[in-house]
Amino acid sequence: MVNYETELENLKNNSCYRSIKNIQNKVGKYIFVDNKKMLNLSSNDYLNISTNTDLKSEFIEKYKTSPEFIFSSASARLLTGTSTCYNNLEQKISALFNKESALIFNTGYQCNQGIVSSLFSKGDVIFSDKLNHASIVSGLKLSPAEHFRYKHLDYDNLEFLLKTKRNNYNNSIIISESVFSMDGDIADIKKLIELKKKYNCLLMLDEAHAFGVFGDNLAGVAQDKNLSCDVDIFTVTLGKSLGSMGAVCVSSNTIINYLINYASTFIFSTAIPPVNVLWSNFLLNDKFDYLKNQKEKLTSLYKNVHSIYPSNSNSHIIPYIIGDSEKTKDKAIELQNKGYYVLPINPPTVPKGTSRLRISLTADVEFDEIKEVFR
Ligand code: PLP
């Protein structure tokens, strides 16, 4: 029997205890905590959309009389929790990815867990990057298929596993994030495609942190590299750079129909409210040029940061790795005292000994105001 009090004490003693902070307000690139205004360097609102009052006013003006301007779907999609705006969003996003079909899930977590746990059966096999998000790992644990986790971005290790294990199974899939959430490094999608073809697997790419930030149509890294057509399944979250809520799986008609019939996180959960779906549609249809402009600003910002602070990151997520949890906490407090809202990330979210500040850049931040952080 777990002793909960002792376990919590242990977390506190190791500086790994999690608690919800009292955040008073967020306005664009700023955050207000403990009556202090700080530059928010811990947000996934990469394009600074979620608190933009001009966009919000325009949206409300346009949709306030729409029957879909409501705050609950009150049902799962397969019952009565659906309406035109859901279909419109699915069509819009599948078109951005140039794929046949798409399916909205309530969160990226449910999307990944639902796909990974339902798509494969006993006798199948899944190969997953060791640093893939917890939602993918959760799907692996629930899936009846066997799985192997290859060393992070180590495609020799992946090929070794494919060579030695693949033939013992029926169907197979390789799963990777494109931009990794804690390191900001990027998968070699060309290599993953080469391997999936050589070993007859599907390829699933989680573009959660890349959607909105990479690609001509903002569709992520695979699009940026012109490789989307060889990726079988994409997951996209809408609660990060789009400043909205929900997630979308983008794939073929067959896979999407399969998920509608077998993914429990889709079937047995009340759909996200229509107002969130309308907001996503509004941003992707009416404000697409604005999003693209924000993306350009963010790209030039992170390239400037890379030029003064080399790391494994090739993106807007910059890991400032310190190692020790206590020292990481101290560094976070030091930067917060200087007006930068950065947070320590500790195990088990990241591997042991790699405690870090996860600095995420957003489009409205100016290079000159953050240079000091990287000195
Ligand atoms: N995939 C990745 C790579 C993530 O980092 C996250 C969340 O941080 C998710 C999926 C889950 O997305 P959501 O926050 O919409 O549940």
Side-chain angles (χ1 to χ4, degrees):
M1 167 88 183
V2 178
N3 184 323
Y4 301 117
E5 296 292 343
T6 314
E7 291 299 323
L8 291 173
E9 272 317 305
N10 286 344
L11 289 177
K12 283 180 188 163
N13 292 338
N14 292 318
S15 299
C16 291
Y17 183 73
R18 294 172 165 124
S19 61
I20 298 172
K21 281 152 207 74
N22 185 10
I23 290 171
Q24 289 148 330
N25 201 0
K26 290 183 281 184
V27 180
K29 61 185 174 182
Y30 297 108
I31 187 160
F32 297 77
V33 189
D34 297 331
N35 298 320
K36 199 169 158 197
K37 179 181 176 185
M38 287 183 265
L39 193 64
N40 189 355
L41 296 180
S42 294
S43 174
N44 292 333
D45 186 12
Y46 301 126
L47 304 182
N48 293 120
I49 300 298
S50 70
T51 63
N52 184 311
T53 46
D54 291 342
L55 293 178
K56 188 169 84 176
S57 305
E58 199 178 325
F59 170 71
I60 292 171
E61 203 42 51
K62 180 163 178 179
Y63 288 103
K64 66 186 177 198
T65 57
S66 159
E68 291 181 305
F69 194 77
I70 48 174
F71 301 91
S72 171
S73 67
S75 179
R77 285 286 294 291
L78 290 171
L79 300 174
T80 59
T82 192
S83 58
T84 315
C85 65
Y86 294 80
N87 302 336
N88 290 345
L89 181 61
E90 288 167 343
Q91 274 167 22
K92 177 71 194 177
I93 292 190
S94 57
L96 290 179
F97 280 79
N98 203 14
K99 292 280 179 201
E100 283 178 355
S101 203
L103 183 65
I104 299 171
F105 285 75
N106 298 342
T107 65
Y109 199 102
Q110 291 187 21
C111 184
N112 279 336
Q113 194 194 68
I115 298 167
V116 178
S117 62
S118 69
L119 214 50
F120 289 85
S121 313
K122 204 164 169 15
D124 295 336
V125 63
I126 302 171
F127 298 90
S128 178
D129 189 291
K130 192 81 193 270
L131 293 193
N132 277 340
H133 188 257
S135 51
I136 295 171
V137 177
S138 173
L140 293 176
K141 287 180 185 158
L142 292 170
S143 170
E146 184 75 74
H147 69 261
F148 297 96
R149 293 170 75 192
Y150 59 92
K151 290 183 199 154
H152 178 52
L153 297 185
D154 184 339
Y155 301 116
D156 289 339
N157 184 231
L158 172 59
E159 178 147 28
F160 171 78
L161 289 169
L162 287 163
K163 206 179 272 176
T164 52
K165 311 285 185 194
R166 168 69 186 96
N167 278 344
N168 303 331
Y169 299 91
N170 304 321
N171 299 318
S172 177
I173 191 166
I174 301 169
I175 306 178
S176 179
E177 294 180 26
S178 59
V179 172
F180 279 82
S181 58
M182 291 296 142
D183 291 83
D185 48 356
I186 296 183
D188 183 344
I189 299 171
K190 205 163 167 206
K191 185 72 190 173
L192 287 170
I193 290 170
E194 183 194 311
L195 291 173
K196 84 139 206 176
K197 287 185 174 166
K198 187 166 168 190
Y199 293 94
N200 185 28
C201 307
L202 296 178
L203 175 60
M204 170 171 161
L205 212 54
D206 179 344
E207 297 263 24
H209 295 274
F211 182 67
V213 183
F214 290 85
D216 286 345
N217 279 343
L218 309 180
V221 179
Q223 178 170 87
D224 198 45
K225 303 208 176 297
N226 232 343
L227 295 168
S228 301
C229 60
D230 283 317
V231 177
D232 303 284
I233 302 170
F234 286 102
T235 60
V236 183
T237 53
L238 307 178
K240 302 189 194 304
S241 54
L242 197 61
S244 184
M245 183 65 203
V248 180
C249 173
V250 190
S251 190
S252 63
N253 287 333
T254 308
I255 288 194
I256 294 300
N257 286 331
Y258 190 89
L259 292 172
I260 291 172
N261 284 278
Y262 285 99
S264 2
T265 55
F266 172 79
I267 301 169
F268 300 108
S269 190
T270 301
I272 50 169
V275 71
N276 287 111
V277 180
L278 280 183
W279 172 242
S280 298
N281 277 330
F282 167 74
L283 293 166
L284 290 172
N285 289 310
D286 299 23
K287 296 295 154 194
F288 200 66
D289 288 344
Y290 181 76
L291 299 178
K292 278 178 114 171
N293 192 44
Q294 291 295 88
K295 172 207 159 195
E296 293 310 324
K297 280 165 57 185
L298 181 58
T299 306
S300 80
L301 175 68
Y302 74 68
K303 288 191 170 160
N304 276 333
V305 170
H306 293 169
S307 73
I308 58 162
Y309 185 75
S311 71
N312 286 342
S313 170
N314 286 310
S315 69
H316 52 296
I317 299 169
I318 320 278
Y320 192 113
I321 297 179
I322 294 172
D324 176 68
S325 312
E326 195 61 33
K327 286 187 184 145
T328 309
K329 193 171 96 185
D330 292 345
K331 184 71 184 172
I333 292 169
E334 178 196 319
L335 286 169
Q336 287 175 20
N337 287 336
K338 290 182 176 170
Y340 303 106
Y341 194 64
V342 290
L343 294 172
I345 309 276
N346 293 312
T349 306
V350 292
K352 256 194 166 149
T354 72
S355 287
R356 70 200 56 195
L357 307 176
R358 174 187 183 267
I359 298 177
S360 55
L361 304 172
T362 61
D364 290 341
V365 169
E366 305 283 341
F367 182 48
D368 282 344
E369 55 187 349
I370 51 163
K371 271 190 205 158
E372 181 195 13
V373 173
F374 298 97
R375 292 226 172 89

